[in-house]
Amino acid sequence: MNYTISHIASIIQSKNQISSTEKINYLLIDSRKIVFPNQSLFFALIGARRNGHDFIEEAYERGVRNFVISEPIKTTSFADANFLIVDNTLTALQTIASYHRKQFQYPVIGITGSNGKTIVKEWLNQLLQPEFHIIRSPRSYNSQIGVPLSVWQMNAQHTLAIFEAGISTIEEMSQLEAIIQPTIGIHTNIGEAHSKGFRNKEEKLKEKIKLFKNCTSIIYCKEDIEESLLPTEIEKFSWSRKTTADFFIKEEIKKNSETILEVVYKNQSHTISIPFTDAASIDNSITCCCTLLQLGYNFTTLAPRLQQLQAVEMRLQLKKGINNCTIINDSYSNDISSLSIALDYLTQQAGNHTTTVILSDILQSEYNEETLYQQIATEFKHRNIQRLIGIGETIFKYKNAFNSIPQTEFFISTENFLTQQSTHQFKNEFILLKGARIFSFERINNWLEQKVHQTVLEINLSAIAHNLKEYQKHLLSSTKLMAMVKAFSYGSGNAEIARVLQFHKVDYLAVAYTDEGIDLRNAGISLPIMVMNIDEAGFDAIIEYNLEPEIYSFPIYQSFHKYLQQQAINNFPVHIKINTGMNRLGFDLNEIQSLSLALKQNNTMTVKSVLSHLAASDNSLFDDFTFQQATLLNNACELLQNSIGYTFIKHIANSAAIFRHQELQMDMVRLGIGLYGIDITKNTELNLATVATLKSTIAQIRNLKAGETVGYNRNGKINKDSTIAIIRIGYADGLSRKMGNGNGYMFLKNTKVPIIGDVCMDMTMIDITGILEEVKEGDEVEIFGRNININTIASLIGTIPYEVMTGVNQRVKRVYLDE
């Protein structure tokens, strides 16, 4: 359906009249997720920590012209923008979604329960896809905000909808029921998750089943619901292991990786196989089986489909830690049920390794505290957990419950733990982090990954800002700027550099790999981020962290398209890479027509930009080739734009081209190495500041006699009595071995001093003979920076500045300065 902004104003009862006929197809709550700004309506939601009204200017600058607000703002600052004024922007969002839902008559399945909502939704999608065109909640969009955004995706092409509904306290489900308006209800289970907002389990259950008020049927487990609480007129489909039910589980047999169920349905016995053995997956599979039976499927059809169910990845994160440790970070939630699941995963992954759990207080109001921690201790003992670190006042209070655990330590707070512990106390073990959000376990996660080294790379953030402005002087006012922060921001540190760039309002960031984008999102970076090299392993993270992938070939296009289909995601923003002569990544020109057709037909992706990579923009000998590349890109863009029917950003200019070829600025430029103070064009008009300074210290000073040698293979020959200093840096830190034996030098006490002997793995020797000032152990030495230019280092070792910058190892500590 198409809505005009004036129609929406009427639906949500805006306090002001809007006569505009602009079409609205997209509802926005996040200024980072703008794809079609001219068709979007931005709701300025007010949350506990952020106020959407603070992001109106940002959304406006990115092209949004329609807003729903509840606080007074200076609307005259936003020419040609429409502002719908309401009492509550969240209520307005829910109202328009509810109205939209009423326009469709096909079946809608509403799912609620303490756990398993997302799994059941995804499995039903797998099972029902052959017969239905399904719209479903993306990811876990089941909240007061997520539900209306999910329902808004309904259209006339769908034949079935599946939506989750999650609540955290009383008086929430009625709003979700009014939006989803389910015709079929599913209750997965009633457990401990999200119990804090309820006095007891009965209160939570009564709130949840409000979702089924107007359903024609409901699927549920008899052990979880008191049937008298359900509406009398509703058709009930129950399942049970203990008592008579529509679907009775007579026997469960687990063998290898599957579970065989002997069931009774309509007085007939049936056997079905489920490809899982854990209790949660079995229950969720049964719920799905019952739903298909309720929809009229028979066992001949559903049994083979159940065998093909695929696991849905959960939120547990597995990563490498310090001292050969492995970290399992599951600090998304912390209740007894999810703890049990996480403990299973820990023991499964750890094998014979030592298992450690770092656990915060469990925030579940309906449990007796002492009983709760005794139960947890029993779970630990059952799984042979060797070590427990408890954090929080409550778990500290009941620490004696864990006497059966071989090694225990308890701390009042996360801060208390971090100040009293040492990373050396964690070695060769699997560590599960399980903490409620208020305990900020991400600090512990970061601490367990901490890297320490005396040699430092000093980054001047003020110089970054200065260099940005130097290049912006040469841009047209309409030209956008994408800052390259790939390869750890050319070795300088992703998050810190990105924060400066965000403060100075660059338009885009670009990283090489998904992990780099994740780091930026975790650091609070909200700018759009393009990821230049993606693979299937990173698709989940691309979506979860709002990253925008570069699509450069048909195989990667098809893989991502298939993934988006599976996730029920449409119009996901992507960037198309064209090969115009670099002959690296990119679609060739003869592939553009087929690509255009696929993009137009499939509708899973929206093109945010089309780009290419200049091969030699810094070299005047290849200027003709540079302009040829630009022409080819323009030709490709014209073909693509004519086919898909909308405009996008075009960009090809890099740091060198920004200055040398200003006519190639197009819609956006990509600023890379120049941002870090390195001008490979060697143009004196650019007044760039030094950003990075690599420093180390003197570990020891030696006085040597003529005829002695220094280092491996006795390559450093002493021709006269000399004094040498051993510096705490080597090729493992990124100092090239080509710098050895007098080829390179360092800067000490205002003097350039030569390197003597080979560069070693962790140490390098310099000849400090003749320095007039006193030199002592611990003195600082510069490897490159203000006194020794990176271009000079690159020339000495026969490489390019990029390699010198990115070659500085991650074990080298980064220190940030802001002048």
Side-chain angles (χ1 to χ4, degrees):
M1 288 189 63
N2 284 322
Y3 293 88
T4 64
I5 189 65
S6 58
H7 187 195
I8 291 176
S10 173
I11 294 168
I12 65 175
Q13 299 182 343
S14 172
K15 295 179 180 180
N16 55 323
Q17 295 294 320
I18 298 291
S19 58
S20 172
T21 58
E22 288 185 50
K23 296 288 192 300
I24 297 298
N25 291 314
Y26 303 93
L27 305 184
L28 288 174
I29 60 165
D30 190 334
S31 59
R32 295 169 298 180
K33 299 181 180 180
I34 299 171
V35 179
F36 290 110
N38 58 330
Q39 301 175 43
S40 297
L41 177 61
F42 181 86
F43 287 77
L45 302 183
I46 302 172
R49 298 183 63 182
R50 293 194 176 186
N51 187 332
H53 296 80
D54 297 335
F55 298 92
I56 288 174
E57 182 177 356
E58 181 179 336
Y60 179 84
E61 289 176 353
R62 295 184 182 175
V64 177
R65 291 296 180 268
N66 296 289
F67 301 86
V68 179
I69 62 173
S70 59
E71 293 182 353
I73 66 167
K74 191 176 181 181
T75 57
T76 55
S77 301
F78 305 96
D80 68 355
N82 296 311
F83 289 89
L84 310 187
I85 303 171
V86 297
D87 290 326
N88 186 301
T89 50
L90 176 58
T91 300
L93 174 65
Q94 295 173 339
T95 299
I96 185 62
S98 178
Y99 178 92
H100 183 67
R101 163 65 182 92
K102 287 183 172 70
Q103 311 312 306
F104 307 99
Q105 303 304 314
Y106 47 78
V108 175
I109 298 175
I111 307 173
T112 192
S114 297
N115 296 293
K117 296 183 292 293
T118 300
I119 301 294
V120 169
K121 177 198 68 182
E122 293 302 319
W123 283 353
L124 285 175
N125 181 67
Q126 291 179 30
L127 295 165
L128 296 171
Q129 267 188 339
E131 289 78 35
F132 292 94
H133 186 190
I134 302 171
I135 180 66
R136 68 191 194 280
S137 309
R139 315 290 287 183
S140 297
Y141 275 39
N142 57 31
S143 66
Q144 298 291 313
I145 297 171
V147 166
L149 294 178
S150 299
V151 169
W152 181 256
Q153 297 181 76
M154 295 177 73
N155 64 47
Q157 283 69 51
H158 299 125
T159 56
L160 175 68
I162 310 174
F163 299 123
E164 300 177 43
I167 55 172
S168 57
T169 189
I170 58 173
E171 307 302 325
E172 286 187 345
M173 189 58 86
S174 294
Q175 289 96 313
L176 299 186
E177 191 279 333
I179 301 167
I180 298 172
Q181 301 161 44
T183 57
I184 301 169
I186 295 176
H187 185 271
T188 57
N189 58 48
I190 191 74
E192 299 84 17
H194 314 295
S195 293
K196 194 172 179 60
F198 304 95
R199 289 178 296 179
N200 50 49
K201 187 177 290 187
E202 183 180 359
E203 183 178 64
K204 182 164 68 169
L205 178 60
K206 286 181 177 179
E207 182 67 18
K208 284 185 177 294
I209 62 177
K210 289 179 182 178
L211 179 65
F212 313 128
K213 181 173 68 172
N214 296 305
C215 287
T216 57
S217 61
I218 175 177
I219 294 93
Y220 62 99
C221 175
K222 264 195 170 182
E223 281 82 88
D224 282 329
I225 288 186
E226 174 57 51
E227 292 184 314
S228 62
L229 297 175
L230 296 173
T232 55
E233 65 275 11
I234 196 171
E235 183 182 352
K236 304 172 181 67
F237 191 115
S238 62
W239 67 270
S240 176
R241 291 182 175 90
K242 299 179 179 179
T243 187
T244 303
D246 297 291
F247 188 92
F248 178 72
I249 293 88
K250 188 165 59 175
E251 186 177 10
E252 291 182 34
I253 304 170
K254 297 180 182 180
K255 57 180 183 179
N256 299 324
S257 59
E258 67 173 342
T259 302
I260 308 298
L261 298 181
E262 295 290 337
V263 305
V264 177
Y265 175 66
K266 291 187 175 180
N267 298 319
Q268 291 187 352
S269 295
H270 301 272
T271 301
I272 57 175
S273 173
I274 297 168
F276 307 100
T277 57
D278 63 287
S281 295
I282 295 170
D283 286 359
N284 292 332
S285 299
I286 293 169
T287 298
C288 290
C289 183
C290 293
T291 304
L292 265 67
L293 291 170
Q294 175 64 21
L295 289 171
Y297 286 74
N298 57 42
F299 280 90
T300 303
T301 301
L302 68 84
R305 292 190 187 182
L306 286 171
Q307 288 180 309
Q308 300 301 315
L309 285 176
Q310 299 175 358
V312 178
E313 186 175 350
M314 300 302 287
R315 299 182 177 96
L316 289 168
Q317 297 178 340
L318 187 106
K319 57 183 73 175
K320 291 294 182 183
I322 56 166
N323 303 328
N324 200 35
C325 291
T326 298
I327 302 167
I328 298 172
N329 185 4
D330 187 33
S331 49
Y332 175 82
S333 62
N334 197 24
D335 56 78
I336 191 69
S337 297
S338 67
L339 174 60
S340 182
I341 294 169
L343 290 171
D344 282 341
Y345 187 75
L346 171 65
T347 53
Q348 175 189 335
Q349 293 291 330
N352 296 324
H353 287 82
T354 299
T355 52
T356 296
V357 177
I358 303 179
L359 178 70
S360 79
D361 287 348
I362 304 287
L363 306 178
Q364 289 182 229
S365 59
E366 67 183 79
Y367 268 84
N368 172 273
E369 288 180 348
E370 185 174 3
T371 302
L372 172 66
Y373 288 102
Q374 287 174 347
Q375 180 181 345
I376 293 170
T378 302
E379 295 246 6
F380 280 23
K381 183 178 180 181
H382 177 70
R383 291 172 175 83
N384 195 30
I385 302 300
Q386 285 95 33
R387 183 183 182 193
L388 166 67
I389 297 173
I391 298 177
E393 294 182 359
T394 307
I395 196 170
F396 189 95
K397 178 180 177 182
Y398 296 103
K399 61 184 180 181
N400 290 335
F402 299 94
N403 288 336
S404 61
I405 308 301
Q407 185 179 351
T408 59
E409 296 170 88
F410 295 89
F411 303 86
I412 296 297
S413 66
T414 301
E415 185 69 32
N416 188 234
F417 164 78
L418 290 171
T419 56
Q420 294 186 35
Q421 286 284 295
S422 166
T423 54
H424 297 297
Q425 295 172 287
F426 299 88
K427 293 180 181 178
N428 304 311
E429 54 197 288
F430 274 66
I431 305 168
L432 170 65
L433 302 182
K434 195 76 173 112
R437 290 180 179 179
I438 63 170
F439 287 89
S440 302
F441 267 26
E442 65 272 13
R443 295 178 61 197
I444 300 175
N445 181 69
N446 294 337
W447 178 75
L448 287 170
E449 296 179 319
Q450 188 177 13
K451 303 168 183 67
V452 180
H453 190 10
Q454 281 202 29
T455 298
V456 300
L457 183 64
E458 196 173 83
I459 308 299
N460 189 319
L461 299 178
S462 298
I464 289 281
H466 169 84
N467 295 337
L468 174 64
K469 292 174 184 176
E470 279 295 302
Y471 279 96
Q472 286 175 328
K473 291 177 184 177
H474 301 279
L475 298 182
L476 299 173
S477 59
S478 59
T479 304
K480 298 178 183 295
L481 189 143
M482 174 182 282
M484 311 302 289
V485 291
K486 60 180 182 175
F488 200 54
S489 289
Y490 293 78
S492 300
N494 285 4
E496 293 76 11
I497 300 298
R499 289 190 187 103
V500 173
L501 297 171
Q502 181 166 270
F503 179 80
H504 289 281
K505 297 189 179 300
V506 303
D507 300 284
Y508 256 97
L509 298 177
V511 297
Y513 295 102
T514 305
D515 288 348
E516 296 173 323
I518 293 172
D519 289 341
L520 295 182
R521 288 288 182 244
N522 288 336
I525 301 302
S526 60
L527 286 171
I529 299 173
M530 181 179 78
V531 182
M532 302 177 74
N533 298 290
I534 65 166
D535 55 35
E536 293 186 29
F539 287 172
D540 275 337
I542 287 284
I543 306 301
E544 182 177 353
Y545 290 93
N546 307 317
L547 307 175
E548 299 177 10
E550 181 182 288
I551 305 298
Y552 52 80
S553 70
F554 273 112
I556 202 71
Y557 169 81
Q558 293 294 350
S559 295
F560 194 50
H561 164 64
K562 181 179 179 182
Y563 173 83
L564 293 175
Q565 276 189 320
Q566 292 171 347
Q567 298 293 316
I569 296 173
N570 292 325
N571 299 310
F572 194 81
V574 299
H575 302 260
I576 303 298
K577 181 74 167 285
I578 308 296
N579 175 35
T580 58
M582 183 75 169
N583 290 320
R584 203 167 58 179
L585 297 178
F587 289 94
D588 292 328
L589 265 66
N590 60 11
E591 297 177 305
I592 299 304
Q593 200 65 49
S594 298
L595 174 64
S596 301
L597 185 62
L599 287 166
K600 186 176 182 179
Q601 288 181 342
N602 292 328
N603 203 36
T604 50
M605 305 177 207
T606 293
V607 179
K608 288 293 288 184
S609 84
V610 177
L611 67 146
S612 190
H613 201 115
L614 293 175
S617 61
D618 58 313
N619 193 328
S620 60
L621 295 176
F622 300 112
D623 282 352
D624 287 345
F625 186 77
T626 295
F627 289 116
Q628 178 183 320
Q629 284 190 271
T631 299
L632 292 174
L633 176 64
N634 281 324
N635 291 342
C637 289
E638 185 176 358
L639 284 171
L640 195 60
Q641 186 169 309
N642 287 341
S643 177
I644 63 178
Y646 57 85
T647 60
F648 41 76
I649 298 168
K650 309 170 189 67
H651 52 114
I652 195 171
N654 54 13
S655 294
I658 290 173
F659 188 80
R660 292 197 67 248
H661 303 295
Q662 296 184 37
E663 63 271 43
L664 302 184
Q665 289 183 15
M666 299 186 179
D667 302 313
M668 184 162 68
V669 297
R670 301 191 301 272
L671 180 56
I673 196 73
L675 188 63
Y676 305 93
I678 301 169
D679 176 22
I680 59 175
T681 68
K682 300 178 181 177
N683 193 298
T684 55
E685 291 185 46
L686 280 171
N687 180 29
L688 300 182
T690 299
V691 170
T693 301
L694 181 60
K695 296 179 177 181
S696 191
T697 57
I698 297 174
Q700 190 176 15
I701 296 173
R702 286 188 176 278
N703 295 309
L704 301 179
K705 297 292 185 180
E708 293 191 82
T709 59
V710 177
Y712 288 114
N713 298 312
R714 306 194 71 193
N715 282 335
K717 295 177 172 58
I718 302 297
N719 297 318
K720 62 178 181 179
D721 291 355
S722 302
T723 304
I724 66 164
I726 296 90
I727 312 302
R728 294 182 172 98
I729 188 171
Y731 60 77
D733 301 296
L735 181 64
S736 173
R737 293 188 79 245
K738 294 179 180 179
M739 292 280 283
N741 299 303
N743 294 324
Y745 46 84
M746 299 182 185
F747 194 82
L748 171 66
K749 302 288 185 181
N750 297 309
T751 306
K752 290 181 180 178
V753 291
I755 294 173
I756 184 170
D758 292 342
V759 173
C760 305
M761 181 181 286
D762 307 299
M763 296 287 173
T764 300
M765 288 67 71
I766 58 175
D767 187 345
I768 62 172
T769 306
I771 292 183
L772 298 178
E773 295 184 50
E774 179 187 2
V775 178
K776 60 185 182 297
E777 293 174 1
D779 280 351
E780 194 173 78
V781 179
E782 178 186 306
I783 293 86
F784 62 70
R786 292 184 178 180
N787 300 293
I788 302 177
N789 191 279
I790 290 180
N791 281 315
T792 302
I793 298 291
S795 178
L796 287 172
I797 62 177
T799 188
I800 56 176
Y802 298 83
E803 185 176 353
V804 177
M805 282 283 291
T806 59
V808 180
N809 196 288
Q810 294 297 301
R811 79 176 187 178
V812 174
K813 185 178 180 180
R814 270 64 176 174
V815 176
Y816 298 91
L817 307 176
D818 194 338
E819 299 173 352

